[in-house]
Amino acid sequence: KNAAPPSPRCMWVFRTPLSRVTLQGRSLSWPRCRPHPRLSFSRGHPVHLVSHRAAGVSPSTSWSTTATHVTAAIAAPQNVMHSIAPPSVVFFDCDDCLYKNDWKVASMLTTKIESFCLTRMSMREGHAYELYKSYGTCLRGMQEEGLMDEALLEEYLEYCHDIPLHLHISPDPELRQMLQAITLPKWVFTASTKPHATRCLELLGILDLFEGIIDVRAVGWLTKHNPDAYRKAMSIAGVTQEPS
């Protein structure tokens, strides 16, 4: 699970299973989303983001779902809901959030990471996945355990992201229309690299709709398990965190 973002002044949209949301009074379809099989709330129930799924802040001014299933979200108490100010920025994850292709891109990335660790790092099979489970990403695990230096870092990033995205991501007019209906500033916040996210957005035909891309390098290689990653992203986007 990712860490809970630290501020209600912005909205974080990750791998949401919601089929339709309401933002700024507009009902917006979210393309190709699948409901979670276990967790569910009543239809139209407002939800509050606590993990790496999308949810809402206020039933009147922000997100509410008309889908019946929500993953990793909890209903916020009404007194809390009404005390939270409307968001000023919306952050979107990139991979398997802005596009859906049955995890084909994720599988290719995982295969490349495993390949690099086996052939270049001489790791035993499966160790890359163990690092991912322990540290949030394989890269962070290698950094924390002193296995990755700067020269090898660039080689690793280039190798792992050298995948044929054009075979699995294509222009999505429905997604573009939905994003255009959101008038708040929009940023992409990704655990991947900026060049990779840029390629994805270009293929989707939505690169021009975002203020910028905040990648893992921009937040000092922190993973989304670390709340400081969100604070750094907010700082880059010019979001002022309200005192708790």
Side-chain angles (χ1 to χ4, degrees), residues 12 23 42 59 65 90 97 116 120 125 136 154 182 205 223 227 237:
W12 309 81
L23 176 61
S42 300
T65 175
V90 183
C97 176
F116 187 92
R120 189 69 174 86
E125 187 174 353
E154 298 305 323
I182 302 174
T223 73

Side-chain angles (χ1 to χ4, degrees), residues 78-133:
Q78 287 300 312
N79 61 330
V80 174
M81 300 286 280
H82 291 300
S83 67
I84 297 177
S88 58
V89 172
V90 183
F91 293 91
F92 288 85
D93 196 1
C94 177
D95 294 305
D96 298 294
C97 176
L98 290 173
Y99 64 85
K100 297 276 184 181
N101 54 26
D102 293 322
W103 308 96
K104 290 183 175 67
V105 170
S107 295
M108 288 190 295
L109 290 170
T110 299
T111 298
K112 294 281 283 189
I113 292 170
E114 177 72 8
S115 172
F116 187 92
C117 290
L118 286 173
T119 60
R120 189 69 174 86
M121 306 292 291
S122 299
M123 292 184 187
R124 57 179 170 78
E125 187 174 353
H127 188 54
Y129 183 69
E130 292 173 6
L131 291 172
Y132 159 75
K133 294 292 287 184

Side-chain angles (χ1 to χ4, degrees), residues 148-208:
M148 179 67 69
D149 59 30
E150 284 297 319
L152 194 59
L153 173 62
E154 298 305 323
E155 181 184 346
Y156 170 84
L157 294 174
E158 182 176 353
Y159 178 88
C160 293
H161 292 93
D162 183 17
I163 56 177
L165 292 174
H166 64 283
L167 298 180
H168 304 287
I169 301 176
S170 58
D172 190 336
E174 184 182 0
L175 173 64
R176 181 176 178 85
Q177 184 178 16
M178 187 209 73
L179 291 170
Q180 286 177 316
I182 302 174
T183 59
L184 295 170
K186 297 175 287 293
W187 289 76
V188 168
F189 177 40
T190 177
S192 188
T193 64
K194 185 174 182 179
H196 170 79
T198 299
R199 290 172 62 201
C200 292
L201 300 185
E202 287 177 338
L203 289 167
L204 287 165
I206 59 173
L207 178 62
D208 61 302

